[in-house]
Structure formats: structure tokens, C-alpha cells
């Protein structure tokens, strides 16, 4: 098996997702290189690359950028790094030293049924299908009346988080919420959630002034679970799907390390 064959498999999952504005595809390496093993992960950080190399997993399939920019075919990540004077030589040197390649699976994977990002998150949170879809990536869910602080505790516990940020009155009752995994900042988006009757937003990461503050002014509670925390299990789902289709290739989910630690003053 080659890197190209894995890339072609990813394309076939949703051919429309690999268009002119897509960030997906090869980020580093040779498409014709043989694949000794595959690591799926939320982000191909240096820590993930080291752990993958130790396991001889020379193809890494990541959901988010490897070189920190949201690249497109016309404006690749590496071109943006060069333009802005961002030195990537430590990472590219490591990749070359270990004969590794990186593919990105983003646009085709968020909404992929059963194995994808949202499907895996909903399974962990114990959610069925949304009451209503909000665009391509968000949904409105109805639950038994629950205090905002208890919702934060429940979902944080299900994801194994040491703590969870929330915004709003702890005792605010939530009967209906918008699920906005990953990055979900945007005043207009949060206004739309409220307009559709949401009491709260359960999100990945949200900007403080473009999302959290408008939400508070609108009376929306917010439970912020983290970008990685709401998406990493979906990359475990990709590993499962790949193992079903490529049983002779070692394939592992190598979770990215947590982005933050926590300190009590």
C-alpha cells in the first residue's frame, strides 16, 4: 500500500469535499511512498510524530493543520509559512529523517456518518439525531431540563476532562442546546442558535468577545469542552474505518497531547 492509495480512499469517502477550497490532501511526503503503518490523530504535533515514529507508523492522517495554517490548493500551509517567515524546519526535518508522510482529512470527515467527528462525539455524549440541523455542521438537541453547571460536569466527565469552562448562570436551565464542536466562534452564528430556541451552546472552542460575550448578552449559556476534546474521538473513528478496509496494515489512533494544563492560583 502507498500513501496515494490511502489518499484515494479518503477522497472516495466524499469526492465533493476535495475541491478548490479544501484544506485536505498531502501535507508532506511522497504519495508513492510505501506505508508501513498509519497513525490517525487530531493534529500532527511534534509529540504525535515522535510517538508515531516510535511505532513505525510512517503515514499520519490528521484532522487539523500540520503547519498551523488552514491551507488550500491555491494557498498551501507551507506557502503561508514561507510568506510569514515561520520556520518549520524542525518539523519537516523530523518527517524526512523518519521517512514520514502526512495527509489531512478535514472537510470529508466532520459529518461522515457513524465513524466521523460529529457521530463519534454524539455517541460519547449519549445524543441521538438532532431535532434540527443548523447548516452543515451544527445541530439543535433537546434534553431533559438540566442546570448549565450540571451539563458541563456531565459532558466534561464523559470526555475525561479535568475541568470544563462554562459561561452563564450555573443554575440556568437548559432544555435545548446547539452542538458546535471544533471551532465555533461567530456572533452571527450564536445569534442564529438563539433565534432557533437554544438555551445554550455546547461547543469546542469559542472566542471570548465574538462568541462568549454575545452569548451572555443573548441569554445563551455556553459549555466549552475544547477543540481537540470534541474532535479527537472522531479520528479514532477513522482508525476503525481504515482497519476494516486495510486489515493487513498496522493502523492506530495516536491522540494528540492536551493543549493546556491547569494550575490553581
Amino acid at each position: 500500500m502507498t500513501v496515494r492509495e490511502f489518499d484515494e480512499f479518503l477522497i472516495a469517502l466524499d469526492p465533493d469535499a476535495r475541491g478548490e477550497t479544501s484544506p485536505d490532501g498531502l501535507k508532506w511526503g511522497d504519495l508513492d511512498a510505501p506505508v508501513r503503518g498509519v497513525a490517525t490523530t487530531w493534529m500532527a504535533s511534534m509529540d504525535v510524530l515522535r510517538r508515531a515514529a516510535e511505532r513505525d507508523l510512517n503515514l499520519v492522517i490528521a484532522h487539523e493543520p500540520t503547519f498551523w495554517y488552514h491551507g488550500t490548493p491555491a494557498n498551501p500551509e507551507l506557502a503561508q509559512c514561507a510568506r510569514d517567515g515561520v520556520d518549520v524546519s524542525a518539523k519537516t526535518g523530523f518527517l524526512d529523517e523518519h521517512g514520514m508522510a502526512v495527509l489531512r482529512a478535514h472537510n470529508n470527515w466532520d459529518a461522515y456518518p457513524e465513524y466521523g467527528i460529529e457521530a463519534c462525539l454524539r455517541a460519547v455524549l449519549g445524543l441521538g439525531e438532532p431535532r434540527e440541523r443548523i447548516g452543515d455542521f451544527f445541530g439543535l438537541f433537546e434534553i431533559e431540563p438540566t442546570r448549565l453547571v450540571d451539563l458541563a460536569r456531565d459532558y466534561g466527565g464523559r470526555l475525561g476532562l479535568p475541568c470544563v469552562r462554562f459561561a452563564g448562570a450555573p443554575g440556568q436551565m437548559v432544555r435545548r442546546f446547539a452542538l458546535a464542536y471544533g471551532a465555533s466562534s461567530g456572533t452571527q452564528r450564536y445569534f442564529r442558535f438563539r433565534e432557533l430556541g437554544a438555551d445554550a451552546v455546547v461547543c469546542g472552542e469559542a472566542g471570548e468577545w465574538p462568541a462568549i460575550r454575545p452569548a451572555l448578552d443573548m441569554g445563551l449559556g455556553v459549555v466549552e469542552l475544547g477543540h481537540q476534546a470534541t474532535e479527537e474521538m472522531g479520528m479514532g473513528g477513522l482508525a476503525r474505518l481504515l482497519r476494516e478496509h486495510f486489515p493487513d496494515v498496522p493502523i492506530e489512533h495516536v491522540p494528540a497531547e492536551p493543549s493546556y494544563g491547569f494550575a490553581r492560583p
Side-chain angles (χ1 to χ4, degrees):
M1 297 293 301
T2 65
V3 175
R4 186 184 305 277
E5 289 173 284
F6 278 92
D7 192 39
E8 288 172 348
F9 176 81
L10 294 173
I11 293 171
L13 295 177
D14 184 359
D16 292 339
R18 189 69 71 89
E20 294 181 357
T21 62
S22 172
D24 294 346
L26 186 71
K27 299 299 153 181
W28 190 261
D30 181 359
L31 282 171
D32 295 318
V35 174
R36 300 187 299 275
V38 179
T40 67
T41 188
W42 177 69
M43 199 165 189
S45 66
M46 286 300 302
D47 180 74
V48 165
L49 295 178
R50 292 187 187 100
R51 284 184 282 139
E54 289 171 0
R55 294 165 168 79
D56 199 28
L57 307 172
N58 68 317
L59 172 58
V60 177
I61 304 177
H63 187 61
E64 297 296 2
T66 298
F67 301 107
W68 319 304
Y69 287 81
H70 195 73
T72 65
N75 194 20
E77 291 177 43
L78 287 170
Q80 295 181 63
C81 289
R83 179 198 65 204
D84 293 344
V86 175
D87 184 5
V88 298
S89 61
K91 182 171 273 191
T92 58
F94 184 91
L95 288 165
D96 281 345
E97 179 184 351
H98 294 275
M100 300 176 77
V102 181
L103 293 172
R104 187 174 180 190
H106 185 274
N107 287 14
N108 68 333
W109 199 241
D110 278 323
Y112 193 82
E114 187 178 350
Y115 300 89
I117 299 293
E118 182 192 305
C120 288
L121 176 62
R122 286 197 286 108
V124 171
L125 298 183
L127 297 171
E129 290 293 326
R131 176 183 181 273
E132 183 175 346
R133 279 282 169 200
I134 309 170
D136 294 331
F137 302 108
F138 308 112
L140 194 65
F141 293 82
E142 289 187 342
I143 58 173
E144 291 297 315
T146 304
R147 296 191 310 160
L148 181 67
V149 66
D150 293 330
L151 190 66
R153 287 171 175 153
D154 180 23
Y155 286 175
R158 289 170 183 260
L159 294 176
L161 303 177
C163 63
V164 178
R165 295 205 311 182
F166 71 92
Q172 178 180 343
M173 297 306 296
V174 179
R175 296 170 178 83
R176 186 179 296 176
F177 69 84
L179 181 64
Y181 55 90
S184 65
S185 294
T187 304
Q188 184 179 23
R189 183 176 293 153
Y190 276 55
F191 177 80
R192 177 65 173 153
F193 295 157
R194 187 57 171 155
E195 190 177 46
L196 291 172
D199 304 308
V201 180
V202 175
C203 68
E205 64 172 315
E208 189 165 353
W209 68 258
I212 301 297
R213 288 296 173 175
L216 293 175
D217 284 349
M218 296 172 200
L220 274 172
V222 180
V223 175
E224 190 178 26
L225 298 172
H227 197 145
Q228 179 202 2
T230 55
E231 294 187 335
E232 186 72 76
M233 72 286 297
M235 297 311 289
L238 179 56
R240 293 197 307 274
L241 181 65
L242 292 173
R243 282 194 291 267
E244 291 174 10
H245 286 268
F246 305 101
D248 296 329
V249 179
I251 298 170
E252 298 181 33
H253 175 218
V254 180
E257 72 283 6
S259 300
Y260 303 101
F262 300 91
R264 187 183 298 277

Tab-separated table of all heavy atoms in Angstrom, residues 170-217:
chain	number	residue	atom	x	y	z
A	170	PRO	N	-24.820	29.371	36.723
A	170	PRO	CA	-24.717	27.925	36.936
A	170	PRO	C	-26.073	27.226	36.969
A	170	PRO	O	-26.205	26.099	36.493
A	170	PRO	CB	-23.996	27.816	38.286
A	170	PRO	CG	-23.231	29.091	38.412
A	170	PRO	CD	-24.054	30.144	37.738
A	171	GLY	N	-27.074	27.913	37.512
A	171	GLY	CA	-28.389	27.304	37.645
A	171	GLY	C	-29.300	27.488	36.451
A	171	GLY	O	-30.461	27.050	36.498
A	172	GLN	N	-28.810	28.111	35.389
A	172	GLN	CA	-29.639	28.295	34.197
A	172	GLN	C	-30.104	26.943	33.668
A	172	GLN	O	-29.310	26.031	33.485
A	172	GLN	CB	-28.862	29.034	33.115
A	172	GLN	CG	-29.621	29.234	31.813
A	172	GLN	CD	-28.810	29.981	30.774
A	172	GLN	OE1	-27.803	30.623	31.094
A	172	GLN	NE2	-29.228	29.922	29.521
A	173	MET	N	-31.406	26.813	33.410
A	173	MET	CA	-31.944	25.550	32.938
A	173	MET	C	-31.789	25.432	31.421
A	173	MET	O	-32.098	26.370	30.676
A	173	MET	CB	-33.413	25.418	33.329
A	173	MET	CG	-33.645	25.397	34.836
A	173	MET	SD	-32.669	24.126	35.714
A	173	MET	CE	-33.357	22.623	35.024
A	174	VAL	N	-31.304	24.279	31.010
A	174	VAL	CA	-31.083	24.011	29.589
A	174	VAL	C	-32.022	22.892	29.157
A	174	VAL	O	-31.973	21.786	29.706
A	174	VAL	CB	-29.624	23.608	29.315
A	174	VAL	CG1	-29.416	23.315	27.833
A	174	VAL	CG2	-28.662	24.691	29.784
A	175	ARG	N	-32.859	23.182	28.199
A	175	ARG	CA	-33.763	22.191	27.616
A	175	ARG	C	-33.415	21.911	26.152
A	175	ARG	O	-33.759	20.868	25.623
A	175	ARG	CB	-35.209	22.671	27.717
A	175	ARG	CG	-35.708	22.817	29.153
A	175	ARG	CD	-37.045	23.521	29.236
A	175	ARG	NE	-37.505	23.601	30.611
A	175	ARG	CZ	-37.117	24.536	31.473
A	175	ARG	NH1	-36.245	25.481	31.087
A	175	ARG	NH2	-37.572	24.540	32.710
A	176	ARG	N	-32.766	22.873	25.547
A	176	ARG	CA	-32.433	22.773	24.133
A	176	ARG	C	-31.076	23.439	23.931
A	176	ARG	O	-30.857	24.556	24.401
A	176	ARG	CB	-33.503	23.480	23.311
A	176	ARG	CG	-33.356	23.330	21.811
A	176	ARG	CD	-34.493	24.044	21.090
A	176	ARG	NE	-35.788	23.442	21.390
A	176	ARG	CZ	-36.933	23.914	20.950
A	176	ARG	NH1	-36.957	25.005	20.207
A	176	ARG	NH2	-38.063	23.300	21.237
A	177	PHE	N	-30.142	22.755	23.253
A	177	PHE	CA	-28.838	23.374	23.032
A	177	PHE	C	-28.345	23.093	21.622
A	177	PHE	O	-28.734	22.102	20.977
A	177	PHE	CB	-27.799	22.913	24.060
A	177	PHE	CG	-27.382	21.477	23.949
A	177	PHE	CD1	-26.380	21.083	23.056
A	177	PHE	CD2	-27.964	20.507	24.745
A	177	PHE	CE1	-25.984	19.765	22.948
A	177	PHE	CE2	-27.575	19.172	24.647
A	177	PHE	CZ	-26.587	18.807	23.743
A	178	ALA	N	-27.478	23.972	21.150
A	178	ALA	CA	-26.802	23.775	19.870
A	178	ALA	C	-25.470	23.097	20.137
A	178	ALA	O	-24.718	23.519	21.024
A	178	ALA	CB	-26.580	25.114	19.173
A	179	LEU	N	-25.175	22.051	19.388
A	179	LEU	CA	-23.882	21.378	19.470
A	179	LEU	C	-22.990	21.944	18.371
A	179	LEU	O	-23.309	21.842	17.185
A	179	LEU	CB	-24.046	19.875	19.296
A	179	LEU	CG	-22.768	19.039	19.387
A	179	LEU	CD1	-22.148	19.140	20.780
A	179	LEU	CD2	-23.054	17.573	19.035
A	180	ALA	N	-21.894	22.569	18.791
A	180	ALA	CA	-20.994	23.241	17.843
A	180	ALA	C	-19.567	22.806	18.149
A	180	ALA	O	-18.788	23.535	18.748
A	180	ALA	CB	-21.140	24.757	17.962
A	181	TYR	N	-19.243	21.580	17.740
A	181	TYR	CA	-17.931	21.000	18.027
A	181	TYR	C	-16.833	21.746	17.266
A	181	TYR	O	-17.092	22.497	16.334
A	181	TYR	CB	-17.913	19.517	17.672
A	181	TYR	CG	-18.318	19.230	16.243
A	181	TYR	CD1	-17.372	19.197	15.223
A	181	TYR	CD2	-19.645	18.989	15.902
A	181	TYR	CE1	-17.734	18.939	13.914
A	181	TYR	CE2	-20.022	18.725	14.595
A	181	TYR	CZ	-19.066	18.703	13.602
A	181	TYR	OH	-19.428	18.460	12.308
A	182	GLY	N	-15.582	21.487	17.669
A	182	GLY	CA	-14.463	22.154	16.992
A	182	GLY	C	-14.419	23.632	17.320
A	182	GLY	O	-14.586	24.042	18.463
A	183	ALA	N	-14.169	24.447	16.315
A	183	ALA	CA	-14.126	25.902	16.485
A	183	ALA	C	-15.480	26.479	16.093
A	183	ALA	O	-16.005	26.158	15.028
A	183	ALA	CB	-13.022	26.509	15.624
A	184	SER	N	-16.049	27.315	16.951
A	184	SER	CA	-17.423	27.752	16.706
A	184	SER	C	-17.645	29.236	16.958
A	184	SER	O	-18.751	29.653	17.229
A	184	SER	CB	-18.388	26.963	17.593
A	184	SER	OG	-18.158	27.261	18.965
A	185	SER	N	-16.599	30.047	16.924
A	185	SER	CA	-16.786	31.475	17.164
A	185	SER	C	-17.585	32.103	16.029
A	185	SER	O	-17.580	31.622	14.896
A	185	SER	CB	-15.434	32.178	17.291
A	185	SER	OG	-14.765	31.720	18.448
A	186	GLY	N	-18.264	33.167	16.337
A	186	GLY	CA	-19.032	33.888	15.326
A	186	GLY	C	-20.310	34.430	15.919
A	186	GLY	O	-21.213	33.664	16.276
A	187	THR	N	-20.391	35.739	16.041
A	187	THR	CA	-21.567	36.365	16.648
A	187	THR	C	-22.838	35.995	15.892
A	187	THR	O	-23.862	35.653	16.501
A	187	THR	CB	-21.385	37.889	16.671
A	187	THR	OG1	-20.163	38.211	17.355
A	187	THR	CG2	-22.550	38.562	17.375
A	188	GLN	N	-22.800	36.058	14.575
A	188	GLN	CA	-23.987	35.755	13.780
A	188	GLN	C	-24.448	34.314	13.999
A	188	GLN	O	-25.645	34.032	14.098
A	188	GLN	CB	-23.703	36.001	12.303
A	188	GLN	CG	-24.918	35.806	11.395
A	188	GLN	CD	-24.597	36.076	9.941
A	188	GLN	OE1	-23.443	35.989	9.524
A	188	GLN	NE2	-25.599	36.423	9.162
A	189	ARG	N	-23.497	33.406	14.111
A	189	ARG	CA	-23.816	32.000	14.323
A	189	ARG	C	-24.518	31.811	15.663
A	189	ARG	O	-25.537	31.110	15.753
A	189	ARG	CB	-22.535	31.179	14.258
A	189	ARG	CG	-22.734	29.691	14.404
A	189	ARG	CD	-21.409	28.986	14.219
A	189	ARG	NE	-20.908	29.117	12.858
A	189	ARG	CZ	-19.632	29.073	12.509
A	189	ARG	NH1	-18.712	28.936	13.444
A	189	ARG	NH2	-19.272	29.171	11.254
A	190	TYR	N	-23.996	32.449	16.699
A	190	TYR	CA	-24.606	32.307	18.016
A	190	TYR	C	-25.972	32.977	18.059
A	190	TYR	O	-26.890	32.495	18.732
A	190	TYR	CB	-23.672	32.862	19.097
A	190	TYR	CG	-22.641	31.848	19.543
A	190	TYR	CD1	-21.787	31.228	18.621
A	190	TYR	CD2	-22.525	31.477	20.865
A	190	TYR	CE1	-20.863	30.289	19.020
A	190	TYR	CE2	-21.595	30.538	21.282
A	190	TYR	CZ	-20.759	29.944	20.340
A	190	TYR	OH	-19.846	29.002	20.742
A	191	PHE	N	-26.138	34.067	17.362
A	191	PHE	CA	-27.457	34.698	17.253
A	191	PHE	C	-28.445	33.738	16.608
A	191	PHE	O	-29.602	33.623	17.039
A	191	PHE	CB	-27.369	35.990	16.436
A	191	PHE	CG	-28.703	36.651	16.234
A	191	PHE	CD1	-29.276	37.437	17.226
A	191	PHE	CD2	-29.409	36.477	15.049
A	191	PHE	CE1	-30.517	38.030	17.051
A	191	PHE	CE2	-30.649	37.074	14.859
A	191	PHE	CZ	-31.207	37.852	15.857
A	192	ARG	N	-27.989	33.011	15.595
A	192	ARG	CA	-28.855	32.049	14.921
A	192	ARG	C	-29.244	30.927	15.868
A	192	ARG	O	-30.410	30.483	15.883
A	192	ARG	CB	-28.135	31.493	13.687
A	192	ARG	CG	-28.912	30.421	12.928
A	192	ARG	CD	-30.178	30.960	12.328
A	192	ARG	NE	-30.825	29.963	11.477
A	192	ARG	CZ	-32.117	29.915	11.243
A	192	ARG	NH1	-32.932	30.817	11.797
A	192	ARG	NH2	-32.630	28.990	10.453
A	193	PHE	N	-28.306	30.452	16.691
A	193	PHE	CA	-28.624	29.417	17.670
A	193	PHE	C	-29.749	29.889	18.598
A	193	PHE	O	-30.687	29.156	18.888
A	193	PHE	CB	-27.397	29.049	18.507
A	193	PHE	CG	-26.270	28.415	17.738
A	193	PHE	CD1	-24.969	28.457	18.226
A	193	PHE	CD2	-26.494	27.759	16.535
A	193	PHE	CE1	-23.926	27.860	17.542
A	193	PHE	CE2	-25.453	27.157	15.832
A	193	PHE	CZ	-24.164	27.213	16.349
A	194	ARG	N	-29.613	31.125	19.074
A	194	ARG	CA	-30.620	31.675	19.982
A	194	ARG	C	-31.954	31.863	19.277
A	194	ARG	O	-33.023	31.574	19.840
A	194	ARG	CB	-30.132	33.015	20.556
A	194	ARG	CG	-31.025	33.590	21.636
A	194	ARG	CD	-31.194	32.615	22.782
A	194	ARG	NE	-31.864	33.194	23.920
A	194	ARG	CZ	-32.544	32.490	24.823
A	194	ARG	NH1	-32.642	31.182	24.697
A	194	ARG	NH2	-33.119	33.084	25.844
A	195	GLU	N	-31.890	32.292	18.044
A	195	GLU	CA	-33.091	32.518	17.265
A	195	GLU	C	-33.889	31.223	17.086
A	195	GLU	O	-35.131	31.243	17.022
A	195	GLU	CB	-32.698	33.091	15.904
A	195	GLU	CG	-33.837	33.612	15.055
A	195	GLU	CD	-33.321	34.228	13.764
A	195	GLU	OE1	-32.458	33.612	13.090
A	195	GLU	OE2	-33.768	35.332	13.431
A	196	LEU	N	-33.182	30.103	17.031
A	196	LEU	CA	-33.828	28.802	16.856
A	196	LEU	C	-34.302	28.190	18.178
A	196	LEU	O	-34.815	27.072	18.192
A	196	LEU	CB	-32.872	27.836	16.160
A	196	LEU	CG	-32.581	28.159	14.690
A	196	LEU	CD1	-31.477	27.270	14.149
A	196	LEU	CD2	-33.846	27.990	13.842
A	197	GLY	N	-34.104	28.918	19.252
A	197	GLY	CA	-34.644	28.475	20.529
A	197	GLY	C	-33.674	27.788	21.448
A	197	GLY	O	-34.085	27.179	22.453
A	198	ALA	N	-32.381	27.844	21.163
A	198	ALA	CA	-31.401	27.212	22.050
A	198	ALA	C	-31.302	27.984	23.366
A	198	ALA	O	-31.352	29.212	23.390
A	198	ALA	CB	-30.035	27.158	21.382
A	199	ASP	N	-31.164	27.237	24.456
A	199	ASP	CA	-30.874	27.831	25.760
A	199	ASP	C	-29.374	27.932	25.996
A	199	ASP	O	-28.928	28.716	26.847
A	199	ASP	CB	-31.473	26.975	26.882
A	199	ASP	CG	-32.962	26.762	26.733
A	199	ASP	OD1	-33.685	27.753	26.572
A	199	ASP	OD2	-33.390	25.590	26.763
A	200	ALA	N	-28.618	27.103	25.271
A	200	ALA	CA	-27.172	27.049	25.487
A	200	ALA	C	-26.489	26.532	24.225
A	200	ALA	O	-27.134	26.019	23.311
A	200	ALA	CB	-26.830	26.139	26.676
A	201	VAL	N	-25.166	26.684	24.224
A	201	VAL	CA	-24.323	26.130	23.167
A	201	VAL	C	-23.294	25.226	23.837
A	201	VAL	O	-22.614	25.648	24.781
A	201	VAL	CB	-23.613	27.228	22.359
A	201	VAL	CG1	-22.738	26.607	21.274
A	201	VAL	CG2	-24.608	28.204	21.762
A	202	VAL	N	-23.193	23.995	23.391
A	202	VAL	CA	-22.119	23.101	23.808
A	202	VAL	C	-21.112	23.097	22.667
A	202	VAL	O	-21.404	22.621	21.569
A	202	VAL	CB	-22.651	21.681	24.084
A	202	VAL	CG1	-21.487	20.741	24.408
A	202	VAL	CG2	-23.656	21.705	25.227
A	203	CYS	N	-19.937	23.669	22.931
A	203	CYS	CA	-19.011	23.929	21.835
A	203	CYS	C	-17.640	23.338	22.119
A	203	CYS	O	-17.367	22.836	23.213
A	203	CYS	CB	-18.899	25.441	21.588
A	203	CYS	SG	-18.100	26.371	22.907
A	204	GLY	N	-16.779	23.426	21.094
A	204	GLY	CA	-15.385	23.066	21.250
A	204	GLY	C	-14.625	24.252	21.830
A	204	GLY	O	-14.441	24.364	23.034
A	205	GLU	N	-14.193	25.147	20.963
A	205	GLU	CA	-13.579	26.394	21.438
A	205	GLU	C	-14.326	27.567	20.849
A	205	GLU	O	-14.819	27.512	19.723
A	205	GLU	CB	-12.090	26.458	21.061
A	205	GLU	CG	-11.813	26.494	19.568
A	205	GLU	CD	-10.344	26.765	19.269
A	205	GLU	OE1	-9.757	27.663	19.901
A	205	GLU	OE2	-9.788	26.069	18.387
A	206	ALA	N	-14.401	28.644	21.628
A	206	ALA	CA	-15.135	29.825	21.198
A	206	ALA	C	-14.372	31.071	21.637
A	206	ALA	O	-13.867	31.133	22.758
A	206	ALA	CB	-16.540	29.840	21.796
A	207	GLY	N	-14.282	32.051	20.741
A	207	GLY	CA	-13.623	33.310	21.087
A	207	GLY	C	-14.408	34.072	22.141
A	207	GLY	O	-15.642	34.060	22.151
A	208	GLU	N	-13.688	34.735	23.037
A	208	GLU	CA	-14.369	35.391	24.158
A	208	GLU	C	-15.234	36.556	23.715
A	208	GLU	O	-16.399	36.654	24.109
A	208	GLU	CB	-13.344	35.847	25.198
A	208	GLU	CG	-13.989	36.333	26.487
A	208	GLU	CD	-13.001	36.447	27.632
A	208	GLU	OE1	-11.836	36.021	27.466
A	208	GLU	OE2	-13.390	36.961	28.691
A	209	TRP	N	-14.667	37.453	22.885
A	209	TRP	CA	-15.512	38.598	22.510
A	209	TRP	C	-16.441	38.326	21.331
A	209	TRP	O	-17.555	38.860	21.294
A	209	TRP	CB	-14.687	39.872	22.308
A	209	TRP	CG	-13.758	39.904	21.127
A	209	TRP	CD1	-12.407	39.730	21.142
A	209	TRP	CD2	-14.097	40.154	19.755
A	209	TRP	NE1	-11.896	39.829	19.884
A	209	TRP	CE2	-12.904	40.101	19.005
A	209	TRP	CE3	-15.290	40.416	19.085
A	209	TRP	CZ2	-12.871	40.295	17.627
A	209	TRP	CZ3	-15.262	40.618	17.712
A	209	TRP	CH2	-14.058	40.550	16.997
A	210	PRO	N	-16.066	37.481	20.333
A	210	PRO	CA	-17.010	37.273	19.230
A	210	PRO	C	-18.082	36.235	19.519
A	210	PRO	O	-19.055	36.144	18.772
A	210	PRO	CB	-16.118	36.811	18.075
A	210	PRO	CG	-14.958	36.163	18.731
A	210	PRO	CD	-14.751	36.858	20.045
A	211	ALA	N	-17.942	35.442	20.586
A	211	ALA	CA	-18.917	34.378	20.834
A	211	ALA	C	-19.424	34.375	22.273
A	211	ALA	O	-20.632	34.437	22.509
A	211	ALA	CB	-18.306	33.021	20.495
A	212	ILE	N	-18.519	34.317	23.249
A	212	ILE	CA	-18.947	34.181	24.641
A	212	ILE	C	-19.729	35.405	25.104
A	212	ILE	O	-20.828	35.291	25.673
A	212	ILE	CB	-17.742	33.941	25.574
A	212	ILE	CG1	-16.989	32.660	25.157
A	212	ILE	CG2	-18.201	33.860	27.018
A	212	ILE	CD1	-17.784	31.389	25.273
A	213	ARG	N	-19.179	36.600	24.868
A	213	ARG	CA	-19.866	37.815	25.332
A	213	ARG	C	-21.199	38.039	24.634
A	213	ARG	O	-22.202	38.360	25.275
A	213	ARG	CB	-18.942	39.022	25.180
A	213	ARG	CG	-17.810	39.035	26.197
A	213	ARG	CD	-18.355	39.178	27.605
A	213	ARG	NE	-17.305	39.030	28.607
A	213	ARG	CZ	-17.506	39.200	29.914
A	213	ARG	NH1	-18.712	39.501	30.372
A	213	ARG	NH2	-16.510	39.036	30.756
A	214	PRO	N	-21.286	37.883	23.307
A	214	PRO	CA	-22.607	37.979	22.674
A	214	PRO	C	-23.578	36.935	23.215
A	214	PRO	O	-24.763	37.229	23.406
A	214	PRO	CB	-22.307	37.739	21.194
A	214	PRO	CG	-20.885	38.134	21.020
A	214	PRO	CD	-20.212	37.774	22.297
A	215	ALA	N	-23.091	35.712	23.471
A	215	ALA	CA	-23.966	34.673	24.004
A	215	ALA	C	-24.554	35.096	25.343
A	215	ALA	O	-25.755	34.935	25.596
A	215	ALA	CB	-23.192	33.362	24.150
A	216	LEU	N	-23.715	35.643	26.204
A	216	LEU	CA	-24.205	36.079	27.506
A	216	LEU	C	-25.242	37.184	27.368
A	216	LEU	O	-26.261	37.186	28.068
A	216	LEU	CB	-23.032	36.540	28.373
A	216	LEU	CG	-22.048	35.447	28.801
A	216	LEU	CD1	-20.869	36.052	29.551
A	216	LEU	CD2	-22.748	34.394	29.666
A	217	ASP	N	-24.997	38.120	26.470
A	217	ASP	CA	-25.966	39.201	26.260
A	217	ASP	C	-27.286	38.680	25.703
A	217	ASP	O	-28.348	39.267	25.938
A	217	ASP	CB	-25.387	40.248	25.302
A	217	ASP	CG	-24.351	41.139	25.975
A	217	ASP	OD1	-24.235	41.081	27.218
A	217	ASP	OD2	-23.659	41.890	25.259
